[in-house]
């Protein structure tokens, strides 16, 4: 079972050196904050899941070079409009996954309309994110930045414009 925030107000991803993990924080407009710890492996799987959700097959006949350029342009367009100047607000009144956060364990993608990305701990409730392009592109960008700060050297199809990895997501 996962909780879906009614409306997402802010998303924050930071590298926590002492844990060697990323801390994903999502604050809703109702001042609920979902905290999820992400390992390097989980982050790599999450990036791939987001890339698969965002993958749209271009029209037949486009060259690989043009496909890469199209993917990179779309990613740049969505991430360029994000507000990165407003500091993350520490106003949460409730923490559905616990004040210390939960460790990410499983990722489930629900295709359909609307698509949903579920981030789940080993046991208990997780968080279900709507598969909106703006949110997914920006979450991907934040994960990339934080993984870069961690010096994890993760590969990203969106940053390079390459097609997403088609291997099954095994978690």
């Amino acid at each position: 079972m996962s909780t879906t925030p009614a409306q997402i107000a802010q998303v924050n991803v930071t590298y926590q050196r002492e844990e060697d993990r990323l801390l994903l924080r999502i604050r809703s407009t109702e001042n609920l904050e979902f905290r999820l710890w992400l390992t390097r492996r989980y982050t790599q799987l999450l990036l791939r899941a987001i890339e698969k959700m965002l993958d749209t097959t271009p029209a037949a006949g486009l060259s690989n070079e043009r496909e890469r350029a199209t993917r990179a342009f779309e990613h740049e367009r969505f991430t360029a409009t994000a507000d990165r100047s407003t500091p993350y607000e520490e106003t949460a009144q409730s923490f559905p996954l616990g004040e210390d956060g939960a460790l990410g364990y499983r990722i489930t993608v629900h295709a359909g309309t609307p698509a949903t990305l579920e981030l789940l701990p080993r046991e208990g409730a997780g968080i279900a994110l709507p598969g909106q392009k703006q949110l997914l592109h920006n979450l991907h960008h934040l994960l990339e930045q934080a993984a870069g700060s961690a010096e994890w050297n993760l590969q990203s199809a969106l940053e390079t414009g390459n097609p997403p990895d088609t291997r099954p997501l095994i978690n």
Side-chain angles (χ1 to χ4, degrees), residues 19 21-24 34-46 97 100-108 118-127 143 152 170-171:
E19 297 285 337
R21 295 182 180 164
L22 303 183
L23 179 59
L24 169 65
F34 299 84
R35 294 179 177 176
L36 196 66
W37 289 98
L38 313 178
T39 63
R40 182 186 186 283
R41 181 175 186 279
Y42 188 91
T43 302
Q44 179 75 49
L45 291 170
L46 181 53
L97 303 182
D100 292 331
L103 178 62
Y105 183 77
R106 282 190 338 262
I107 300 166
T108 305
E118 274 188 304
L119 309 178
L120 302 157
R122 179 175 235 151
E123 295 178 2
I127 181 169
L143 290 167
W152 285 353
I170 300 171
N171 193 351

Side-chain angles (χ1 to χ4, degrees), residues 40-123:
R40 182 186 186 283
R41 181 175 186 279
Y42 188 91
T43 302
Q44 179 75 49
L45 291 170
L46 181 53
L47 288 168
R48 287 181 48 209
I50 293 169
E51 290 164 5
K52 285 184 178 191
M53 289 181 76
L54 291 170
D55 186 38
T56 55
T57 306
L62 290 181
S63 68
N64 284 341
E65 186 175 316
R66 189 159 178 197
E67 287 177 34
R68 283 192 295 276
T70 300
R71 288 178 211 278
F73 174 76
E74 180 179 71
H75 186 62
E76 175 62 30
R77 182 172 56 97
F78 279 109
T79 58
T81 59
D83 176 7
R84 301 204 199 299
S85 62
T86 304
Y88 188 82
E89 294 181 21
E90 306 288 343
T91 59
Q93 298 170 351
S94 180
F95 304 89
L97 303 182
E99 197 164 344
D100 292 331
L103 178 62
Y105 183 77
R106 282 190 338 262
I107 300 166
T108 305
V109 175
H110 298 281
T113 309
T116 306
L117 176 64
E118 274 188 304
L119 309 178
L120 302 157
R122 179 175 235 151
E123 295 178 2

Side-chain angles (χ1 to χ4, degrees), residues 5 26-27 30 49 55 66 70 108 131 134-135 138-139 154 157:
I26 299 172
R27 189 177 60 79
E30 298 88 19
D55 186 38
R66 189 159 178 197
T70 300
T108 305
Q134 181 77 40
L135 174 63
N138 284 300
L139 176 57
L154 301 180

